[in-house]
Amino acid sequence: MNNPQESRVQAAINKRNEENRIKLACKDCLTSFGRATRIRRLKMGLSIKGLANKMGCSSQQVLSIELHASDINLSTLLRLSRALETTLDYFVTVGAK
């Protein structure tokens, strides 16, 4: 039988492992969003600056999304989907391929 100290240590290890799995899943989502954004932008014939203008943001923000260098919040994702004339699920389905 485990003593209380061992149980606490094991719980901390399990929590850390779960946090790492979540971080990897989030990174995969950001990669998917970035890939899908670039594909759709190029299909529409838009430059990074052109997409930024349609979204009402900076070119740097669009580039950051495409390079999955930063987190993306829901309002930005909604503006992105409107500017690219697509649905939210597009970013997951196309980007994951």
Side-chain angles (χ1 to χ4, degrees):
M1 186 180 271
N2 290 342
N3 69 39
Q5 179 69 22
E6 288 175 349
S7 295
R8 284 193 296 276
V9 169
Q10 187 60 48
I13 290 170
N14 291 343
K15 182 178 179 185
R16 174 70 50 98
N17 288 340
E18 182 62 22
E19 289 170 352
N20 287 338
R21 281 192 291 276
I22 291 168
K23 286 179 185 177
L24 286 174
C26 290
K27 184 178 180 189
D28 288 345
C29 285
L30 291 175
T31 300
S32 177
F33 293 152
R35 185 180 301 121
T37 298
R38 181 172 172 79
I39 290 168
R40 183 70 177 167
R41 176 179 64 77
L42 293 174
K43 281 184 180 179
M44 293 179 70
L46 288 171
S47 65
I48 288 174
K49 185 173 181 152
L51 178 55
N53 288 339
K54 285 185 80 167
M55 287 179 64
C57 69
S58 68
S59 297
Q60 183 60 40
Q61 185 175 9
V62 172
L63 187 60
S64 182
I65 292 168
E66 287 191 3
L67 296 176
H68 44 85
S70 66
D71 293 343
I72 183 168
N73 61 37
L74 184 57
S75 65
T76 301
L77 189 56
L78 288 171
R79 287 194 341 253
L80 183 61
S81 68
R82 288 182 190 124
L84 292 174
E85 301 167 8
T86 191
T87 59
L88 291 176
D89 66 324
Y90 168 84
F91 296 100
V92 176
T93 57
V94 170
K97 294 180 183 177

